[in-house]
């Protein structure tokens, strides 16, 4: 957790909001590596989204198993009949 309130923006954030960068970019999408890709036109944006979707399909998120402590060792298996 941060040392201060979670919703307390820093000075750089406040300055950026008060003085936004001058750009023609209207759209943004994640780039799949923790950053973003910005574009001026909807067509460029759609291409960037397609690149992200292709990346998502080739590099799936890892499956994380529940910790062993989540299920008690003496728990009976679920053998209830399904309707």
């Amino acid at each position: 957790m941060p040392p201060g309130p979670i919703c307390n923006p820093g000075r750089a954030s406040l300055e950026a909001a008060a003085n936004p960068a001058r750009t023609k970019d209207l759209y943004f999408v994640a780039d799949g590596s923790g950053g973003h890709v910005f574009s001026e036109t909807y067509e460029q944006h759609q291409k960037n989204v397609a690149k992200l979707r292709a990346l998502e399909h080739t590099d799936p998120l890892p499956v994380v198993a529940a910790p062993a402590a989540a299920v008690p060792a003496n728990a009976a298996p679920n053998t209830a009949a399904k309707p």
Side-chain angles (χ1 to χ4, degrees):
M1 298 299 290
I6 293 174
C7 295
N8 188 14
R11 182 179 186 102
S13 296
L14 293 172
E15 288 177 4
N19 303 303
R22 301 216 184 271
T23 178
K24 292 182 179 182
D25 295 330
L26 296 176
Y27 305 94
F28 72 96
V29 67
D31 66 5
S33 67
H36 296 88
V37 180
F38 298 89
S39 53
E40 293 181 11
T41 67
Y42 186 66
E43 291 78 22
Q44 291 171 337
H45 173 67
Q46 290 295 73
K47 289 178 184 178
N48 292 332
V49 169
K51 289 178 187 177
L52 175 64
R53 296 292 180 239
L55 180 64
E56 289 175 338
H57 290 296
T58 60
D59 188 20
L61 295 174
V63 176
V64 178
V71 179
N74 61 353
N78 184 2
T79 58
K82 294 183 179 180

